[in-house]
Amino acid sequence: MENMNENTPDIETLKQQVKDLETELFRTKAESEINTAIAMARPRSLAAAKVMLDKEGIITENGIGKEALDKNIAKLREENPWLFESTKAETKLYSSGLNWEFGASSDPSSLSDDEYYKRIMK
């Protein structure tokens, strides 16, 4: 191989680089799947949930163990309910801040502009 340049990497080096990149890609995909699964559980803090999650048995040679991941997230939710948003439907009441007098017209659209401004400026 007299034509090979000294700067050309040998095949073994290229094979090792490919192997390293495949390992990095696998780790990135696994982290992404874990992040998505945790986010779907609706934590108040994704970073806190990631740190507290037991990762044992989740990442295997073949990828992510979905059952183990779901089990560990459920265990985390059970042990730390404060970390996750409530799954119950919550009714939130909002006030317009307007103090409508009892017995007065409660529909602001029926008031003239002057009447409306007088009421809100009280």
Side-chain angles (χ1 to χ4, degrees):
M1 300 234 160
E2 298 171 18
N3 294 346
M4 286 193 68
N5 190 351
E6 290 181 18
N7 296 332
T8 305
D10 62 341
I11 292 178
E12 293 304 317
T13 304
L14 292 174
K15 285 182 181 179
Q16 184 60 40
Q17 288 176 348
V18 167
K19 189 174 183 179
D20 292 344
L21 289 172
E22 287 174 345
T23 303
E24 184 179 340
L25 178 63
F26 175 78
R27 265 193 251 121
T28 303
K29 287 174 69 175
E31 255 331 283
S32 176
E33 287 185 43
I34 291 171
N35 289 344
T36 302
I38 293 172
M40 295 298 288
R42 299 182 58 202
R44 295 184 192 274
S45 170
L46 182 63
K50 282 175 52 177
V51 169
M52 296 175 73
L53 182 69
D54 180 19
K55 292 182 179 72
E56 184 175 330
I58 294 177
I59 299 176
T60 64
E61 291 178 4
N62 299 330
I64 295 291
K66 301 278 187 201
E67 296 84 22
L69 178 59
D70 292 341
K71 180 182 168 186
N72 288 358
I73 290 174
K75 181 180 174 185
L76 179 64
R77 180 183 278 273
E78 182 181 313
E79 291 175 353
N80 305 291
W82 55 268
L83 182 59
F84 294 89
E85 292 181 16
S86 175
T87 56
K88 297 178 185 176
E90 296 178 8
T91 304
K92 296 183 179 180
L93 300 177
Y94 295 99
S95 172
S96 64
L98 301 178
N99 185 12
W100 297 101
E101 298 170 6
F102 184 78
S105 174
S106 61
D107 185 15
S109 65
S110 66
L111 301 175
S112 69
D113 289 341
D114 291 334
E115 291 173 330
Y116 177 77
Y117 290 120
K118 284 180 187 176
R119 288 214 178 162
I120 66 171
M121 299 309 283
K122 284 186 180 181

